[in-house]
């Protein structure tokens, strides 16, 4: 499997299913029909694409757009961003400031306001829409591991070992407080001038 085949699978899963759970089920069945070698290819590609999103500027964009500094949440957000497809992912990975322009992000922010302001906020329909639009997709990162276990009988550690054997490693976790940030990427989130300079579109959205 090459990078084009990887993105084709990700995007086909989005067209084939309407919910996150259904999408996971579709991908699991599709990957379970592949060879172990193809699953190693897929996981290597996933890890490389995911690592591309592990940058301080994208972390900052996530922080300011969604008001969340959770490191786990950031990783699950990058998985969600991958789920949107190649064009959206590469656009935001290349320019984190463009995150605020994604239709899916604007739709989620609208739903969040509706959810917070509605007297029916606890109704099942509103909750379901909010959860589906939530910009995190943790389990998408593990679907190949489940497929690998299904077809080989080996546990997920064997797949990770195969991926690492090819010299492919995750960029996560990004841990600013412990220095886990590439040289030149660290910046002060509390400095509004730096925020405006680095993420001008998001800063305008925040009223700066």
């Amino acid at each position: 499997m090459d990078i084009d085949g990887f993105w084709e699978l990700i995007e086909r899963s989005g067209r084939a299913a309407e919910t996150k759970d259904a999408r996971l089920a579709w991908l699991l069945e599709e990957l379970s029909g592949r060879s172990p070698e193809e699953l190693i290819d897929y996981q290597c590609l996933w890890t490389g694409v995911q690592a591309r999103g592990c940058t301080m500027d994208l972390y900052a964009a996530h922080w300011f757009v969604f008001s969340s500094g959770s490191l786990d949440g950031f990783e699950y957000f990058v998985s969600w961003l991958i789920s949107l497809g190649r064009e959206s992912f590469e656009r935001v990975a290349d320019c984190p400031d463009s995150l605020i322009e994604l239709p899916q992000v604007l739709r989620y922010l609208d739903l969040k306001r509706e959810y917070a302001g509605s007297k029916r906020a606890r109704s099942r329909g509103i909750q379901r829409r909010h959860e589906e639009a939530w910009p995190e997709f943790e389990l998408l990162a593990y679907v190949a591991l489940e497929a690998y276990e299904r077809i080989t009988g080996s546990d997920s550690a064997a797949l990770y070992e195969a991926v690492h054997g090819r010299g492919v490693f995750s960029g996560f976790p990004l841990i600013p407080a412990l220095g886990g940030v590439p040289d030149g990427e660290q910046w002060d989130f509390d400095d509004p001038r730096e925020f405006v300079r680095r993420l001008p579109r998001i800063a305008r959205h925040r009223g700066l």
Side-chain angles (χ1 to χ4, degrees):
M1 184 183 298
D2 61 12
I3 189 65
D4 292 330
F6 168 82
W7 280 117
E8 180 187 8
L9 268 180
I10 293 292
E11 291 169 0
R12 280 176 59 201
S13 72
R15 294 191 297 269
E18 294 184 356
T19 67
K20 290 176 180 175
D21 285 346
R23 191 167 183 178
L24 290 171
W26 187 94
L27 268 173
L28 178 59
E29 287 303 312
E30 181 67 25
L31 290 171
S32 295
R34 306 296 181 102
S35 68
E37 192 67 20
E38 283 183 288
L39 291 184
I40 296 170
D41 291 341
Y42 175 94
Q43 191 63 27
C44 285
L45 291 162
W46 170 274
T47 303
V49 169
Q50 187 192 49
R52 186 178 168 191
C54 186
T55 67
M56 196 65 182
D57 281 356
L58 187 53
Y59 175 66
H62 173 261
W63 175 297
F64 287 117
V65 170
F66 302 115
S67 302
S68 171
S70 163
L71 291 170
D72 287 342
F74 174 57
E75 183 173 354
Y76 307 155
F77 157 75
V78 172
S79 294
W80 175 81
L81 193 60
I82 294 171
S83 80
L84 301 184
R86 189 174 197 166
E87 182 178 353
S88 293
F89 175 82
E90 292 185 345
R91 174 186 176 188
V92 175
D94 289 341
C95 178
D97 196 29
S98 68
L99 177 65
I100 196 59
E101 298 172 344
L102 288 183
Q104 296 89 342
V105 169
L106 296 174
R107 187 179 308 121
Y108 168 75
L109 294 175
D110 284 343
L111 280 171
K112 183 179 179 181
R113 284 189 288 269
E114 178 186 354
Y115 184 79
S118 174
K119 294 180 180 179
R120 299 183 301 111
R122 298 302 175 187
S123 74
R124 185 173 300 175
I126 292 178
Q127 279 188 307
R128 187 180 299 115
R129 284 196 298 147
H130 185 266
E131 289 165 3
E132 281 299 322
W134 185 265
E136 293 184 7
F137 201 167
E138 177 186 3
L139 296 182
L140 189 62
Y142 309 131
V143 66
L145 306 179
E146 188 174 349
Y148 191 81
E149 291 176 355
R150 177 185 287 189
I151 68 174
T152 67
S154 301
D155 63 21
S156 59
L159 181 54
Y160 282 125
E161 184 177 347
V163 170
H164 296 162
R166 292 190 184 182
V168 179
F169 296 89
S170 175
F172 287 93
L174 173 69
I175 309 179
L178 300 182
V181 178
D183 290 341
E185 287 195 25
Q186 185 68 270
W187 58 283
D188 183 1
F189 290 3
D190 293 324
D191 183 344
R193 292 171 299 179
E194 191 165 13
F195 175 27
V196 170
R197 180 176 65 83
R198 288 179 179 261
L199 301 171
R201 283 169 275 190
I202 295 174
R204 284 196 297 272
H205 177 79
R206 292 285 296 262
L208 295 180

